Amino acid sequence: MSARLRAFGFVAGSLAVPVVLYVAFVINPYVQAFQIALTDWRGVSRTPGFVGLENFARLWDDQVFWQALRNHGVLLVTLPLVTIALALFFAYLLNLGGGGASGKMRGVRGAGFYRVVFFLPQVLAVAVVGVLFKAVYRPDESGVLNSALAGLGLEPVGWLTEPRLAFWSIIAVMVWQAVGFYVVLFSAGMAAIPKDVFEAAALDGAGRVRMFLSITLPLLWDTVQVGWVYLGIAAFDGFALVQVLSVDRGGPDGATTVLPLEIWKTAFSYSKFGYASAMGVALFFMTITFAALTLRVTRRERIEF
């Protein structure tokens, strides 16, 4: 047996079990979801009947579906934009914000400690984060924010009970939880850029803003692109925080609802598994389309250094 055949056999044998498990526990559920979306299945106690594309047609007239979709649109704009902007700003300070004599670039003092502080929310479970911010957003003076407002002589604010504020309050929690991870991610990317590039630019008189726009961002663009895709996918989720923080699971008046939450409610509260699967299929294709378009639109020629 040739060395090439032996190598192929080793690789095939090593991948066989992971591929089988992936097909069984990832691909197979997706295929089953597509099948269930074409039925009127209401749970294990009833044999599903084939309804074709009827469930998908119902989505066009479902106001709750469109409200959730509008909320995802807001998330798609705000969550990646705000998170990446903050993460880039903090990562730049932690790696290059300290300056120094003779143009030598370094991070701010205590950068290692700040990295740990920024990353701390990633260690906490999403449910724990939700419970913590329940205390922060309490509508009376026992809440952290309203207690501070009371100290200033202001009336308490219904952060999660006011329709105009509730979703923005939850988005703020999503940003708070996500920023730390991307600070570490962008810090790793900046650390890979040779410091000589920044020092030469500093000696030539380039300011912080010019170095960021002309050097840091172009050389970090691939990492930013990946972060944007990940955050966009996260914007199509939001189930856990909305479930824990929102009033009446998506309220008030549907102001905070998202598609994963509506899928869960439709399936397990109303026993409409076929319709819930149709929502899931629609969400799947929207997520895939977003990722593909983002990678296409933000693609740039790779810069080597």
Side-chain angles (χ1 to χ4, degrees), residues 120-197:
L120 182 61
Q122 291 294 315
V123 180
L124 302 176
V126 178
V128 174
V129 172
V131 172
L132 287 175
F133 276 89
K134 273 270 192 181
V136 173
Y137 286 144
R138 281 176 186 165
D140 51 33
E141 293 185 6
S142 65
V144 175
L145 287 179
N146 281 326
S147 176
L149 292 178
L152 297 174
L154 301 176
E155 292 294 324
V157 175
W159 301 101
L160 297 174
T161 57
E162 291 288 336
R164 294 183 179 181
L165 286 177
F167 196 55
W168 293 107
S169 299
I170 294 176
I171 291 175
V173 180
M174 292 180 179
V175 171
W176 177 85
Q177 187 186 27
V179 161
F181 174 80
Y182 292 96
V183 168
V184 175
L185 180 66
F186 296 151
S187 293
M190 290 180 189
I193 302 174
K195 291 292 190 297
D196 295 345
V197 177

Side-chain angles (χ1 to χ4, degrees), residues 43-59:
V44 296
S45 61
R46 176 182 172 184
T47 302
F50 182 77
V51 297
L53 299 177
E54 180 180 327
N55 288 325
F56 295 97
R58 288 174 55 193
L59 292 176

Side-chain angles (χ1 to χ4, degrees), residues 12 15 22 64 93 131 140 148 163 172 175-176 178 241 248 263 290 296:
L15 293 178
Y22 185 82
V64 175
L93 289 180
V131 172
D140 51 33
V175 171
W176 177 85
L241 281 176
D248 194 25
I263 292 170
F290 165 80
R296 177 69 177 178

Side-chain angles (χ1 to χ4, degrees), residues 204-286:
D204 287 340
R208 300 290 181 185
V209 176
R210 173 55 59 189
M211 282 194 289
F212 176 78
L213 295 176
S214 301
I215 299 175
T216 307
L217 190 57
L219 293 178
L220 204 64
W221 186 256
D222 288 346
T223 307
V224 173
Q225 182 189 51
V226 171
W228 199 284
V229 172
Y230 283 173
L231 285 165
I233 293 173
F236 279 109
D237 185 14
F239 169 82
L241 281 176
V242 173
Q243 168 82 335
V244 176
L245 285 173
S246 64
V247 177
D248 194 25
R249 295 175 181 172
D253 299 327
T256 62
T257 193
V258 289
L259 278 178
L261 181 62
E262 289 303 321
I263 292 170
W264 180 82
K265 287 164 60 177
T266 302
F268 297 103
S269 296
Y270 310 136
S271 297
K272 298 179 180 179
F273 287 87
Y275 189 52
S277 295
M279 287 185 181
V281 171
L283 179 61
F284 170 81
F285 281 111
M286 283 188 287

Side-chain angles (χ1 to χ4, degrees), residues 3-82:
R4 180 175 296 181
L5 287 177
R6 286 197 301 269
F8 176 79
F10 174 77
V11 172
S14 301
L15 293 178
V17 174
V19 169
V20 169
L21 292 176
Y22 185 82
V23 171
F25 294 105
V26 178
I27 301 300
N28 185 52
Y30 275 122
V31 173
Q32 289 184 356
F34 296 154
Q35 293 175 339
I36 295 172
L38 301 176
T39 71
D40 61 354
W41 190 43
R42 298 185 64 86
V44 296
S45 61
R46 176 182 172 184
T47 302
F50 182 77
V51 297
L53 299 177
E54 180 180 327
N55 288 325
F56 295 97
R58 288 174 55 193
L59 292 176
W60 291 102
D61 299 321
D62 190 339
Q63 295 302 314
V64 175
F65 172 80
W66 288 107
Q67 176 62 50
L69 207 58
R70 285 191 291 270
N71 288 340
H72 283 298
V74 173
L75 272 174
L76 275 175
V77 174
T78 57
L79 181 61
L81 187 62
V82 176

